[in-house]
Amino acid sequence: MAKKLFIPGPVDVSPEVAAKMSEPMISHRSKDLYDLHAHLIESLKRLMYTQNHVITFTSSSTGVWEAAVRNCVQKKVLCVDNGAFASRWFDVAVACGKEADKLEIPWGSTVKPEQLDAALSKGGYDSVTLVHNETSTAAMANLQSLAPVFKSHGVTSLVDCVSSLAGVKIEVDKLGLDVCLSGTQKALAVAPGMAFASVSPKALEISKTQKGKGYYFDFIVHMKYWEKDHQTPATPSIPHMRSLDYQLTKILDVEGAENRFKRHHEMANTARSWAKKHFELFTEEWCASDTVTCVKNTRNADLSALGKELSAKGYQFSNGYGKLKGQAFRIAHMGDRKPEELATYLAAIDDVLKL
């Protein structure tokens, strides 16, 4: 039985978006593909509020972490570490042979401007990695307050918006983000398997001088092919391109981006109110996410049993991630999820736990 996915990715994909992946195949070296690619990039730029070029990758977003590090970290990177995914990006930087330091923030919180400023003031950093919306803890950073700190220190900003983009308004150009990366399987509500990043002129200039970038994730290689009739260096996932392009048209021209952001914010308020009524928020409320809520298991409920009961009712439950398993659980409210579906899911938890 197919379950409704109340997990923070992958999320449910609508039948019409999924159907775009099964259309007849076309050549990856054809005008049809080049036109599709060009339209997809323009739509992504609209969603990201940027004039910077956007590069697509047939990979998970983790691959684009590596791309950002290999292309843009020159000598030393500061990695903001406030959760499982932020910590893993640090591991990726080290694995890529870069000198990296952690700015450790307690799980359930995120970095404040003064903390970032103090860390960067120690000197020696040319870049920063930041997970905007830490999915393991549901903590969302305030990019508006952090962007001036990036600018004042002249660092290259590498920002993961994997679980926030398309659920929260992220104005890349106003914020001055150098690399803003995301993937298809969360708030965009497309099948997993494709990722992308907006890349600033500054990031491209740095990439030109970098060594040891490899080939597949080299920004400059991608730009050369783009400038040649909107091509890609390697065969892309054409089904993903079609599905994402179709979904972006729905987001931008049917629902409307602002309406989508509003819907996500309203669902977040619903989830947070429910959590505070029956449990506690794991996340500090000032930085609570609009796409996922992390609930502290103050009732000491058997979360494994809860997951099994919800599965029998047709729902996929999300236990705490990593060290939070059993101590907290997550409720995703992202993608094409509707407020009434969230309400029904919360009622199902009420029923199982006799709340």
Side-chain angles (χ1 to χ4, degrees), residues 115-128:
Q115 294 171 309
L116 181 63
D117 181 65
L120 289 174
S121 294
K122 296 175 183 178
Y125 301 109
D126 55 71
S127 47
V128 175

Side-chain angles (χ1 to χ4, degrees), residues 76-187:
K76 190 175 182 181
V77 59
L78 178 67
C79 299
V80 177
D81 179 4
N82 67 316
F85 295 98
S87 182
R88 193 178 301 172
W89 202 354
F90 167 82
D91 293 340
V92 168
V94 173
C96 288
K98 303 296 183 178
E99 187 177 357
D101 288 339
K102 285 185 178 182
L103 170 54
E104 294 188 288
I105 306 294
W107 282 36
S109 188
T110 189
V111 68
K112 295 179 179 178
E114 58 270 23
Q115 294 171 309
L116 181 63
D117 181 65
L120 289 174
S121 294
K122 296 175 183 178
Y125 301 109
D126 55 71
S127 47
V128 175
T129 67
L130 172 72
V131 174
H132 175 226
N133 196 64
E134 175 53 64
T135 320
S136 64
T137 66
M140 186 168 66
N142 186 326
L143 291 176
Q144 289 77 13
S145 68
L146 298 174
V149 183
F150 296 144
K151 185 176 181 180
S152 68
H153 287 274
V155 292
T156 305
S157 52
L158 313 176
V159 182
D160 169 332
C161 293
V162 173
S163 61
S164 54
L165 189 75
V168 177
K169 188 173 188 177
I170 300 168
E171 298 180 278
V172 168
D173 287 358
K174 282 188 178 180
L175 294 166
L177 304 183
D178 292 304
V179 174
C180 178
L181 67 95
S182 193
T184 51
Q185 77 278 16
K186 296 186 185 285

Side-chain angles (χ1 to χ4, degrees), residues 6 75 98 122 188 200 211 219 239 252 299 302 341:
F6 279 87
K75 293 183 179 179
K98 303 296 183 178
K122 296 175 183 178
L188 278 163
S200 72
K211 300 184 184 302
F219 291 166
L252 296 167
R299 291 174 174 267
D302 184 337
E341 292 175 311

Side-chain angles (χ1 to χ4, degrees), residues 23-257:
E23 291 186 351
M25 191 48 58
I26 58 175
S27 168
H28 73 297
R29 300 293 182 222
S30 68
K31 187 176 185 302
D32 287 341
L33 188 282
Y34 306 154
D35 290 347
L36 170 62
H37 190 200
H39 189 265
L40 172 59
I41 296 305
E42 286 305 309
S43 295
L44 285 169
K45 289 167 72 171
R46 286 177 62 194
L47 179 66
M48 301 173 84
Y49 299 87
T50 185
Q51 292 302 309
N52 293 339
H53 184 59
V54 178
I55 301 173
T56 59
F57 302 91
T58 300
S59 81
S60 67
S61 301
T62 305
V64 194
W65 280 352
E66 184 163 323
V69 167
R70 288 186 177 275
N71 283 272
C72 297
V73 176
Q74 299 170 80
K75 293 183 179 179
K76 190 175 182 181
V77 59
L78 178 67
C79 299
V80 177
D81 179 4
N82 67 316
F85 295 98
S87 182
R88 193 178 301 172
W89 202 354
F90 167 82
D91 293 340
V92 168
V94 173
C96 288
K98 303 296 183 178
E99 187 177 357
D101 288 339
K102 285 185 178 182
L103 170 54
E104 294 188 288
I105 306 294
W107 282 36
S109 188
T110 189
V111 68
K112 295 179 179 178
E114 58 270 23
Q115 294 171 309
L116 181 63
D117 181 65
L120 289 174
S121 294
K122 296 175 183 178
Y125 301 109
D126 55 71
S127 47
V128 175
T129 67
L130 172 72
V131 174
H132 175 226
N133 196 64
E134 175 53 64
T135 320
S136 64
T137 66
M140 186 168 66
N142 186 326
L143 291 176
Q144 289 77 13
S145 68
L146 298 174
V149 183
F150 296 144
K151 185 176 181 180
S152 68
H153 287 274
V155 292
T156 305
S157 52
L158 313 176
V159 182
D160 169 332
C161 293
V162 173
S163 61
S164 54
L165 189 75
V168 177
K169 188 173 188 177
I170 300 168
E171 298 180 278
V172 168
D173 287 358
K174 282 188 178 180
L175 294 166
L177 304 183
D178 292 304
V179 174
C180 178
L181 67 95
S182 193
T184 51
Q185 77 278 16
K186 296 186 185 285
L188 278 163
V190 176
M194 176 170 276
F196 52 88
S198 63
V199 183
S200 72
K202 174 185 174 181
L204 291 173
E205 284 302 309
I206 293 171
S207 178
K208 288 176 183 178
T209 65
Q210 292 286 85
K211 300 184 184 302
K213 293 182 289 182
Y215 180 86
Y216 191 76
F217 291 115
D218 188 336
F219 291 166
I220 304 306
V221 170
H222 280 267
M223 290 304 299
K224 287 179 179 177
Y225 274 84
W226 168 260
E227 291 163 1
K228 192 192 311 180
D229 300 322
H230 306 146
Q231 295 188 40
T232 57
T235 308
S237 176
I238 297 169
H240 277 94
M241 293 176 74
R242 282 173 160 161
S243 187
L244 177 58
D245 185 62
Y246 179 82
Q247 175 72 324
L248 285 167
T249 297
K250 286 181 61 184
I251 290 170
L252 296 167
D253 300 326
V254 180
E255 180 178 21

